[in-house]
């Protein structure tokens, strides 16, 4: 069994590409090996800023032989009077076999000629020579470039290529115009610590040879070293390292031989909000901040950077980084003092100078719209006057910090600085908090807003964006979603569920869409439907992927091509969640099976009637004088007794009592269908037939309070 090494040496690669390339190769390489019938014992993907490499162990010397059965012409056409015809001769010649190899076998369509061929496995070396260039140039990235005068495209120019099968160089050539990159066993070590060429005698020696040349090729090992060094450095200066996961990932893909370097800045800069300092460090400088203690935002006047240089020059490296951060923090201090010279409200008028979207006006126009949306939501939630006042004030000020100097320089601080400046301007704590919270969640892993004002203003802002951008016909397509509309809709649903807000989303969409159409009369008449379907898709995704609800149960609460059910889901997001979770629960405990057949049998027949799907009261639609069997009367009385239980379940969302009640009348329904006094539902008399269909329609409707049972797949 053999070991294969492929190393692609490059100029420094973008950090995000390094991480993506590792993920892509870990998927692509096993797939292509399997497709080529090449087994292996292990695949190791390595990556640094200057190289991508894969080490494959346990490869066979060649593919296994495989057998292939090929169907030819019908036997009647291939042989006449026992002699082969031209059809048989042509088939044998095409397949490269003798006529004696032809076999006649019966099939569903008669006798046909077959051959069984043995296809010899190809040498592994030949296959790897074909696959290696495919692996390299199938990598996808945001920014691919050409270099020299060739047509090869890669994120950075390729400078060397190592390809070893065991101890032998596997000849591979990448032609790039007048340049040609040929494989060899010569790699390169760390640019500073080991600038000399590195010779790799055998593929299996790759990691240790590079390690000796001050290159840690395994990303996971590098990350562990970085974390340990940063934590140790912070502990040494009496603090705790603030290790941001995204920063750790980025830094890991920027260095080949990490060295933690401690720097410091003037105490005077600690008067800045901690968020300003950490933003400068993390986002702009890629430094790790140092906290006074775990769980506190208070900072020490130190930072830790990861150097890819000579560890012996750490003092010089620290001094250079100290000069840079001093300048950045001085800028921040100036912006902060300048911004504080005016109250936050004074910045609102400047929002007129910032365009939100060409056809939607300025950010000030957006503030006006979202303020109106916030009023609608507050009214719907029946909030108190003081809560409404807080919401109105927060809505007015929520975008004001966008025109401050601090946020202009550091856009990541939007909302954060709004909260700081609001407090400094004498706004209430509730208003200040809502300004920050209305941006939450900022990512899939971010926390949700906790105050009602933050929740409502965030709702209002996202609904404005969704309706306006959809109204302009700029719907998300594929992976393209420049306005983050999917994230906005998901946030609205998650906030509703987390805070248990009794929001009627459908009503809000109706009103906001109507307001938008007044100012944009050329808007698509399907705007409300498009938004509804968009939200329903988000609900479906959240229920299935995050709540673990079976797909058919999600269909049962959202309805399949059922406008009534879809509208119901949007009118009560809490109810659709509770019904889905409850259905999953009763599927697991078997209670769903107890009523499934009864409800579905009734629903199938009820479709032949004309009873609407919302009627629940039997006295309104059933004529007792038309009863001919005792089973009809029994079912009617059971439905009368079921009505208050269903009403109670609707009001309290205690659907267990509804399921129990339906289970109780199941024997009654069975007698109606199959008992000694069972009835023929489709009676010749149209009045009797309609009466019986209405009985079954009522049972279906009671079950529909919980779910559309027709969408549920039997367990």
């Amino acid at each position: 069994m053999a070991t294969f090494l492929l190393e692609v040496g490059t100029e420094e690669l973008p950090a995000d590409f390094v991480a993506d390339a590792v993920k892509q190769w870990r998927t692509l390489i096993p797939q292509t090996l399997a497709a080529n019938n090449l087994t292996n014992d292990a695949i190791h993907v390595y990556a640094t800023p200057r190289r991508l490499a894969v080490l494959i162990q346990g490869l066979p010397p060649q593919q296994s032989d495989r057998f292939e059965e090929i169907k030819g012409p019908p036997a009647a056409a291939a042989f006449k009077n026992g002699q082969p015809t031209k059809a048989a001769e042509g088939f044998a010649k095409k397949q490269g076999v003798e006529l004696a190899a032809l076999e006649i076998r019966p099939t569903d369509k008669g006798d046909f000629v077959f051959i069984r061929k043995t296809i010899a496995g190809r040498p592994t070396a030949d296959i790897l020579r074909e696959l290696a260039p495919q692996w390299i140039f199938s990598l996808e990235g945001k920014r691919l470039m050409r270099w020299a005068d060739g047509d090869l495209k890669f994120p950075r120019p390729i400078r060397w290529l190592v390809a070893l099968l065991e101890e032998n160089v596997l000849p591979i050539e990448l032609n790039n115009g007048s340049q040609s990159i040929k494989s060899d066993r010569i790699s390169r070590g760390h640019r500073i610590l080991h600038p000399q060429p590195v010779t790799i005698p055998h593929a299996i020696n790759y990691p240790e040879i590079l390690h000796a040349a001050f290159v840690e090729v395994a990303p996971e090992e590098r990350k562990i070293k970085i974390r340990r060094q940063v934590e140790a450095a912070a502990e040494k200066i009496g603090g705790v390292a603030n290790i941001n996961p995204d920063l750790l990932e980025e830094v890991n893909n920027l260095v080949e031989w990490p060295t933690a370097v401690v720097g410091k800045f003037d105490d005077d800069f600690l008067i800045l909000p901690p968020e300003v300092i950490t933003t400068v460090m993390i986002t702009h400088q890629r430094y790790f901040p140092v906290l006074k203690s775990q769980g506190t935002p208070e900072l020490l006047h130190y930072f830790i950077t990861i150097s890819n240089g000579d560890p012996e020059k750490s003092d010089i490296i620290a001094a250079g980084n100290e000069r840079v951060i001093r300048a950045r923090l001085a800028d921040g201090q100036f912006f902060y003092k300048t911004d504080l010279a005016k109250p936050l409200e004074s910045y609102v008028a400047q929002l007129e100078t910032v365009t939100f979207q060409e056809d939607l006006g300025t950010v000030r126009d957006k503030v006006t719209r979202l303020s109106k949306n916030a009023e609608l939501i507050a009214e719907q939630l029946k909030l108190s006057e003081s809560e409404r006042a807080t919401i109105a004030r927060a809505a007015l000020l929520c975008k004001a910090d966008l025109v401050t100097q601090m946020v202009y320089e550091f856009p990541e601080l939007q909302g954060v600085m709004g909260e700081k400046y609001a407090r400094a301007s004498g706004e209430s704590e509730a208003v200040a908090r809502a300004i920050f919270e209305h941006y939450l969640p900022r990512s899939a892993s971010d926390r949700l807003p906790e105050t009602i004002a933050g929740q409502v203003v965030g709702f209002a802002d996202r609904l404005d964006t969704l309706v306006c951008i959809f109204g302009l016909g700029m719907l998300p397509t594929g992976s393209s979603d420049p306005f983050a509309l999917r994230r906005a809709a998901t946030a609205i649903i998650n906030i509703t569920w987390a805070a248990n807000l009794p929001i009627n989303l459908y009503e809000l969409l109706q009103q906001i869409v109507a307001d938008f159409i007044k100012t944009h009369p050329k808007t698509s008449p399907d705007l409300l439907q498009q938004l509804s379907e968009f939200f329903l898709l988000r609900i479906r995704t959240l229920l299935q992927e995050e709540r673990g609800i079976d797909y058919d149960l999600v269909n049962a609460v959202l309805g399949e091509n059922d406008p009534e059910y879809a509208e119901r889901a949007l009118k009560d997001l809490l109810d659709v969640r509770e019904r889905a979770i409850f259905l999953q629960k009763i599927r697991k405990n078997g209670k769903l099976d107890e009523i499934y057949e009864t409800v579905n049998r009734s629903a199938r027949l009820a479709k032949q009637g004309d009873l609407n799907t919302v009627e629940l009261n039997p006295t309104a639609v059933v004529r007792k004088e038309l009863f001919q069997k005792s089973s009809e009367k029994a079912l009617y009385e059971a439905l009368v007794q079921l009505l208050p239980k269903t009403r109670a379940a609707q009001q309290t969302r205690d659907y267990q009592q509804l399921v129990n009640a339906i289970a109780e009348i199941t024997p009654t329904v069975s007698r109606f269908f199959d008992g000694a006094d069972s009835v023929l539902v489709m009676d010749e008399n149209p009045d009797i037939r309609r009466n019986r269909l209405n009985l079954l329609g009522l049972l279906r409707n009671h079950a529909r309070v919980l779910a559309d049972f027709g969408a549920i797949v039997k367990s």
Side-chain angles (χ1 to χ4, degrees), residues 433-509:
R433 192 66 187 160
I435 291 172
F436 168 70
E437 285 193 339
H438 95 283
Y439 282 108
L440 300 179
R442 294 161 294 191
S443 66
S445 59
D446 201 7
R447 56 199 171 106
L448 299 175
E450 297 177 358
T451 67
I452 188 64
Q455 292 160 357
V456 170
V457 176
F459 253 72
D461 184 20
R462 291 178 175 91
L463 283 174
D464 172 70
T465 300
L466 281 158
V467 172
C468 290
I469 300 302
F470 263 74
L472 296 179
M474 301 167 65
L475 283 64
T477 57
S479 60
S480 176
D481 188 6
F483 288 90
L485 301 182
R486 295 187 184 95
R487 190 170 70 196
T490 298
I492 286 174
I493 298 164
N494 277 332
I495 292 169
T496 301
W497 286 350
N500 290 314
L501 298 176
I503 289 287
N504 186 330
L505 181 59
Y506 189 79
E507 184 180 281
L508 289 173
L509 289 173

Side-chain angles (χ1 to χ4, degrees), residues 236-409:
K236 189 174 181 179
I237 55 179
V240 176
N242 177 7
I243 301 180
N244 179 284
D246 292 336
L247 176 61
L248 179 61
E249 181 70 21
E250 182 181 11
V251 169
N252 185 44
N253 293 318
L254 289 172
V255 298
E256 292 195 314
W257 194 257
T259 302
V261 176
V262 177
K264 63 189 302 186
F265 55 89
D266 297 339
D267 283 348
D268 293 346
F269 291 125
L270 290 175
I271 65 170
L272 286 168
E275 294 88 346
V276 174
I277 300 174
T278 55
T279 297
V280 169
M281 289 186 183
I282 295 173
T283 306
H284 294 263
Q285 299 304 126
R286 302 187 182 94
Y287 299 161
F288 294 95
V290 182
L291 306 173
K292 282 188 176 181
S293 60
Q294 193 68 49
T296 175
E298 291 186 79
L299 296 166
L300 295 179
H301 62 292
Y302 293 100
F303 62 88
I304 301 170
T305 184
I306 298 299
S307 167
N308 193 39
D310 187 347
E312 294 184 2
K313 305 292 178 60
S314 291
D315 290 344
I316 298 173
I317 295 169
N321 281 279
E322 287 172 355
R323 285 194 297 272
V324 173
I325 196 171
R326 187 179 302 117
R328 298 289 290 174
L329 291 177
D331 288 343
Q333 194 172 48
F334 172 77
F335 299 146
Y336 187 55
K337 290 179 179 178
T338 302
D339 291 341
L340 285 175
K342 298 189 296 182
L344 183 61
E345 186 175 8
S346 67
Y347 293 99
V348 174
Q350 293 183 40
L351 295 175
E352 292 281 3
T353 65
V354 182
T355 300
F356 170 59
Q357 200 279 338
E358 184 179 359
D359 297 316
L360 299 173
T362 66
V363 176
R364 182 66 183 90
D365 296 326
K366 179 176 178 58
V367 167
T368 299
R369 294 194 301 269
L370 75 85
S371 295
K372 185 175 181 180
N373 294 347
E375 290 179 18
L376 292 173
I377 299 167
E379 183 177 346
Q380 196 180 92
L381 293 175
K382 298 180 173 57
L383 300 180
S384 67
E385 288 300 321
S386 62
E387 288 173 323
R388 294 188 185 200
T390 297
I391 289 168
R393 187 65 176 171
L396 175 67
L397 301 176
C398 69
K399 304 297 182 184
D401 66 342
L402 295 180
V403 289
T404 63
Q405 292 195 46
M406 183 70 82
V407 175
Y408 180 82
E409 183 68 19

Side-chain angles (χ1 to χ4, degrees), residues 353-629:
T353 65
V354 182
T355 300
F356 170 59
Q357 200 279 338
E358 184 179 359
D359 297 316
L360 299 173
T362 66
V363 176
R364 182 66 183 90
D365 296 326
K366 179 176 178 58
V367 167
T368 299
R369 294 194 301 269
L370 75 85
S371 295
K372 185 175 181 180
N373 294 347
E375 290 179 18
L376 292 173
I377 299 167
E379 183 177 346
Q380 196 180 92
L381 293 175
K382 298 180 173 57
L383 300 180
S384 67
E385 288 300 321
S386 62
E387 288 173 323
R388 294 188 185 200
T390 297
I391 289 168
R393 187 65 176 171
L396 175 67
L397 301 176
C398 69
K399 304 297 182 184
D401 66 342
L402 295 180
V403 289
T404 63
Q405 292 195 46
M406 183 70 82
V407 175
Y408 180 82
E409 183 68 19
F410 304 116
E412 307 89 347
L413 292 174
Q414 64 180 6
V416 173
M417 298 315 300
E419 179 183 20
K420 307 290 183 187
Y421 294 153
R423 287 199 186 97
S425 301
E427 301 292 341
S428 70
E429 176 63 24
V431 169
R433 192 66 187 160
I435 291 172
F436 168 70
E437 285 193 339
H438 95 283
Y439 282 108
L440 300 179
R442 294 161 294 191
S443 66
S445 59
D446 201 7
R447 56 199 171 106
L448 299 175
E450 297 177 358
T451 67
I452 188 64
Q455 292 160 357
V456 170
V457 176
F459 253 72
D461 184 20
R462 291 178 175 91
L463 283 174
D464 172 70
T465 300
L466 281 158
V467 172
C468 290
I469 300 302
F470 263 74
L472 296 179
M474 301 167 65
L475 283 64
T477 57
S479 60
S480 176
D481 188 6
F483 288 90
L485 301 182
R486 295 187 184 95
R487 190 170 70 196
T490 298
I492 286 174
I493 298 164
N494 277 332
I495 292 169
T496 301
W497 286 350
N500 290 314
L501 298 176
I503 289 287
N504 186 330
L505 181 59
Y506 189 79
E507 184 180 281
L508 289 173
L509 289 173
Q510 277 185 312
Q511 183 60 58
I512 298 170
V513 164
D515 292 341
F516 180 81
I517 291 175
K518 290 177 184 176
T519 56
H520 296 77
K522 294 183 180 180
T523 298
S524 167
D526 297 328
L527 178 56
L528 179 60
Q529 181 182 347
Q530 290 173 344
L531 286 161
S532 298
E533 291 174 353
F534 189 70
F535 271 102
L536 289 169
L537 184 57
R538 305 272 76 73
I539 294 171
R540 181 181 300 278
T541 300
L542 289 172
L543 288 175
Q544 287 182 210
E545 296 182 4
E546 295 192 9
R547 302 277 175 158
I549 310 298
D550 295 338
Y551 80 94
D552 60 320
L553 302 184
V554 175
N555 289 339
V557 297
L558 295 181
E560 293 183 301
N561 301 316
D562 189 332
E564 177 193 318
Y565 249 50
E567 187 176 316
R568 177 185 172 186
L570 295 176
K571 285 182 175 180
D572 195 339
L573 297 178
L574 301 182
D575 180 62
V576 74
R577 175 196 63 183
E578 294 306 313
R579 287 187 290 126
I581 292 173
F582 177 71
L583 281 173
Q584 190 73 42
K585 174 185 172 183
I586 63 172
R587 166 168 278 175
K588 288 181 179 179
N589 65 24
K591 198 71 176 178
L592 181 59
D593 288 339
E594 292 182 20
I595 64 172
Y596 178 84
E597 289 294 347
T598 298
V599 172
N600 260 2
R601 186 176 183 183
S602 301
R604 285 194 297 269
L605 279 167
K607 285 182 179 179
Q608 301 183 52
D610 57 4
L611 183 67
N612 65 59
T613 55
V614 296
E615 182 61 65
L616 297 174
N617 188 357
T619 61
V621 294
V622 176
R623 296 166 57 187
K624 293 188 289 183
E625 69 273 13
L626 295 177
F627 293 160
Q628 294 183 326
K629 299 286 185 72

Side-chain angles (χ1 to χ4, degrees), residues 227-243:
R227 178 180 287 277
R228 286 175 178 169
Q229 288 187 29
V230 170
E231 289 174 344
E235 185 178 356
K236 189 174 181 179
I237 55 179
V240 176
N242 177 7
I243 301 180

